[in-house]
Amino acid sequence: MTRARTGERPATIPDNLAAWDFAPRCEGTAHPNGNKGHDSGPAKYAVHIQCACGLAAVMLFCAGRVSYVLAGDVIECGACGRVSAVRAFWERVEPIDAPQHEAAPQHEAAPQHEAAPRAAHEGNDLSEWAADLRARACRPKSIQDMTSTMRTFRKRIAPGLALRAVTRTDIVDFLGTPGWAPLTRRTYRTTISAFYEWLTLTGRIPANPAARLPRTRVPYSEPNPLTTEQVQQLLDSGVRRRTRVMILLAAYQGLRASEVAAVHGDDVRDGMLHVPNGKGGTSLYRPLHPLIEAEAKHMPRDAYWFPGNAAEHVAGRSVSSTVSAAMRRAGIVGHRPHQLRAWHATELIRAGVDAVTVQHSMRHATLGTLHKYVHPDAANVRAAMNLLPRIDVDTRAVAPR
């Protein structure tokens, strides 16, 4: 693997990560807080990478979840030239113990070293689970999110506790972590349940500790789309063309952030927009709105509209971050970029478009999903209530019996 930054390190990584005889430095080039190219701070984790071409390597980072690397495609495989080696193929993370010098005997007896052997089979479990998910035709993004969720779970449960040794009590305690939003709890519950069901079905554990976990109650909340006035306010706030096109694609084509990020000049043809990688792996065509058709004349015709690193497009979270920043500058609070998509559905329903057509415009698999996007119209509800049969009600005071 070709590294963007190298610290002082041996030519090969020793198999025993407790046997470092040097002070490794973090090799990351971009951190979650936005600091680029830092070269301070010791490395704490060795990330094992396996490229599809078969080349393997180990990178050193100061964080076990190398999200700043996964987001940036900063590592290139020296054998096949892939620039997404880390994002697509990283296998497992192992903690790096402090350098072993005079105090080596004490560290060798430390309890945390007993957990080192279990990291290998757990890395294999997660890799083989990911392979199983691919065989089920799960999207790469979904697989990445699910394996990342399990790595977070492994990191936060009791130190040294192997994933295969987790009990139902451990999982319930974890899901009860204070301060989490209900959707966060449900995401963890769904992923943990899927992983342990797979471990059980494949004979890796005798019983499923995640069976019959408490259901996570997610309170109902009404959709909160931007108003038309807020959409206009956002567009009039001095945004650049690049940001304006992102906003228009979300509002007038109803695209998700990840779909906006992936728009290519080849996707715009003959008044139609091709959405090749929609949710659930769908590939659909929808009519192009006139506003998007006008903007398309100024966008690349044979390249991504929003290019990122190494000939790839930007990530969906980059689109969300860009539009969120524009909203803050425009003074629009209490809304997220995804609610531009809710504006799309709400305004179509208010205009009298039938629900099935709106479902198709939103590219929902089922009609039932639409209620999560369409804001209730008080005038329509009032008009509907007035259609109820009238009955005579004696409003005079009546003595209680």
Side-chain angles (χ1 to χ4, degrees), residues 270-285:
D270 302 322
M272 301 292 288
L273 175 65
H274 181 210
V275 186
N277 293 301
K279 191 172 183 178
T282 59
S283 177
L284 301 172
Y285 289 84

Side-chain angles (χ1 to χ4, degrees), residues 14 44 102 188 210 221 251 267 275 316 365 389 401:
K44 298 180 181 178
E102 295 79 1
Y188 273 113
S221 60
D267 296 330
V275 186
R401 292 182 178 179

Side-chain angles (χ1 to χ4, degrees), residues 362-387:
M362 295 284 285
R363 291 162 292 106
H364 284 152
T366 62
L367 186 61
T369 308
L370 197 57
H371 80 279
K372 299 179 181 179
Y373 289 83
V374 178
H375 189 271
D377 189 304
N380 287 345
V381 174
R382 182 177 291 109
M385 293 170 66
N386 289 335
L387 295 176

Side-chain angles (χ1 to χ4, degrees), residues 98-312:
Q100 307 296 301
H101 296 293
E102 295 79 1
Q106 296 179 355
H107 286 287
E108 289 176 1
Q112 61 265 30
H113 289 176
E114 297 175 2
R118 60 97 169 173
H121 78 65
E122 288 192 358
N124 291 336
D125 284 347
L126 291 175
S127 296
E128 292 177 22
W129 182 48
D132 190 86
L133 294 173
R134 284 192 291 272
R136 299 184 211 173
C138 292
R139 298 180 65 202
K141 179 64 167 58
S142 299
I143 296 172
Q144 177 183 315
D145 289 344
M146 293 174 74
T147 53
S148 176
T149 296
M150 287 309 302
R151 288 186 178 94
T152 300
F153 172 64
R154 178 176 62 181
K155 181 180 179 181
R156 293 184 180 179
I157 57 178
L161 182 62
L163 284 177
R164 295 187 186 184
V166 165
T167 66
R168 183 180 186 277
T169 301
D170 296 322
I171 300 175
V172 171
D173 288 345
F174 174 78
L175 294 177
T177 300
W180 282 357
L183 281 174
T184 301
R185 297 184 199 279
R186 187 169 69 179
T187 297
Y188 273 113
R189 181 188 184 277
T190 300
T191 303
I192 291 170
S193 297
F195 176 72
Y196 281 103
E197 180 182 8
W198 175 80
L199 281 183
T200 307
L201 290 175
T202 55
R204 288 168 168 81
I205 55 176
N208 183 359
R212 300 182 182 86
L213 288 173
R215 291 193 175 275
T216 303
R217 179 180 174 273
V218 179
Y220 171 76
S221 60
E222 290 189 340
N224 184 31
L226 278 77
T227 65
T228 299
E229 292 74 21
Q230 287 175 321
V231 175
Q232 188 68 62
Q233 177 183 343
L234 180 60
L235 293 170
D236 290 343
S237 63
V239 294
R240 296 182 300 168
R241 167 173 282 125
R242 180 175 181 272
T243 305
R244 182 173 72 243
V245 174
M246 289 179 177
I247 295 168
L248 292 175
L249 284 168
Y252 282 90
Q253 295 294 152
L255 298 189
R256 304 171 179 89
S258 60
E259 297 165 346
V260 170
V263 171
H264 193 282
D266 290 337
D267 296 330
V268 180
R269 289 288 184 274
D270 302 322
M272 301 292 288
L273 175 65
H274 181 210
V275 186
N277 293 301
K279 191 172 183 178
T282 59
S283 177
L284 301 172
Y285 289 84
R286 290 294 181 265
L288 199 64
H289 191 278
L291 285 175
I292 308 299
E293 197 165 13
E295 292 289 355
K297 298 176 182 178
H298 307 285
M299 304 301 287
R301 296 186 178 182
D302 56 357
Y304 288 113
W305 281 14
F306 311 108
N309 295 329
E312 291 291 328

